[in-house]
Amino acid sequence: GRDDSVCAPRRQNGQSVRQASPVTRADLKEVSHVMRVFRIAIPASKIGASRRFYETVLGLEADDTVPSRLYFHCGDVIVAIIDWEVEPLGPFQPTPENLYFATEELDAVHERAKAAEARELSPIEDRPWGERSFYCLDPDGNRLCFVDETTLFLGRGAAWS
């Protein structure tokens, strides 16, 4: 059996300190639960413009239960648009990497992105790795990619060209 404690106590400057033990590949194979993502946060400097954009592009109504956030329930994951005027966590910066959305209606989403005046909207293209997708920016410059649900590249040893 495996020792279930992931932290081994040690002493530093006379104080008891818990330090994470190194994780091996064998440890990873023994994990009995799956970690999952349930919420992704995207900063917004213009929350009204972001609300209109995401409601149009995603085709979903915003859940504004939290006054400083807009929640979009995308399957099991919530996309949270954070009002940076209310919850500034430092200087505003758009996300540095793409946030990927899978959809069964890629052509319709592309049309909605046009209608929402998405910035730097690319055409729908077949990618070398097999995905059919398009890229754009939201009103704050956050990077988004929309991918045809039937063409998702998921890694896991899939062919890479």
Side-chain angles (χ1 to χ4, degrees):
R2 177 172 87 88
D3 178 9
D4 286 328
S5 66
V6 293
C7 294
R10 68 178 183 89
R11 299 193 76 63
Q12 180 178 7
N13 298 332
Q15 299 288 343
S16 179
V17 177
R18 298 195 57 84
Q19 177 181 4
S21 302
V23 176
T24 66
R25 281 192 142 343
D27 293 331
L28 295 176
K29 290 179 182 174
E30 292 183 31
V31 173
S32 63
H33 70 280
V34 175
M35 188 75 63
R36 66 184 182 87
V37 174
F38 78 97
R39 182 171 50 231
I40 300 287
I42 300 175
S45 67
K46 303 172 268 220
I47 198 71
S50 291
R51 179 184 201 125
R52 287 185 297 279
F53 177 84
Y54 283 98
E55 283 184 338
T56 300
V57 175
L58 300 178
L60 298 170
E61 187 174 335
D63 171 351
D64 54 9
T65 301
V66 179
S68 59
R69 298 175 175 217
L70 299 173
Y71 286 163
F72 291 91
H73 298 271
C74 299
D76 290 338
V77 178
I78 296 169
V79 175
I81 309 302
I82 311 299
D83 185 346
W84 221 251
E85 296 291 316
V86 179
E87 284 188 53
L89 301 174
F92 179 84
Q93 294 181 340
T95 56
E97 183 53 70
N98 291 298
L99 179 60
Y100 292 83
F101 292 86
T103 179
E104 295 176 350
E105 50 178 23
L106 187 64
D107 295 290
V109 174
H110 191 264
E111 289 303 312
R112 292 197 305 258
K114 272 188 214 172
E117 299 179 358
R119 296 176 27 215
E120 296 185 26
L121 179 63
S122 76
I124 294 173
E125 294 181 16
D126 292 327
R127 309 294 170 185
W129 52 92
E131 288 181 341
R132 183 170 174 262
S133 64
F134 73 88
Y135 294 86
C136 67
L137 302 178
D138 77 1
D140 282 300
N142 293 299
R143 301 164 127 356
L144 308 173
C145 180
F146 295 87
V147 183
D148 183 317
E149 176 76 39
T150 64
T151 66
L152 300 179
F153 180 82
L154 301 174
R156 298 185 177 154
W160 179 261
S161 52

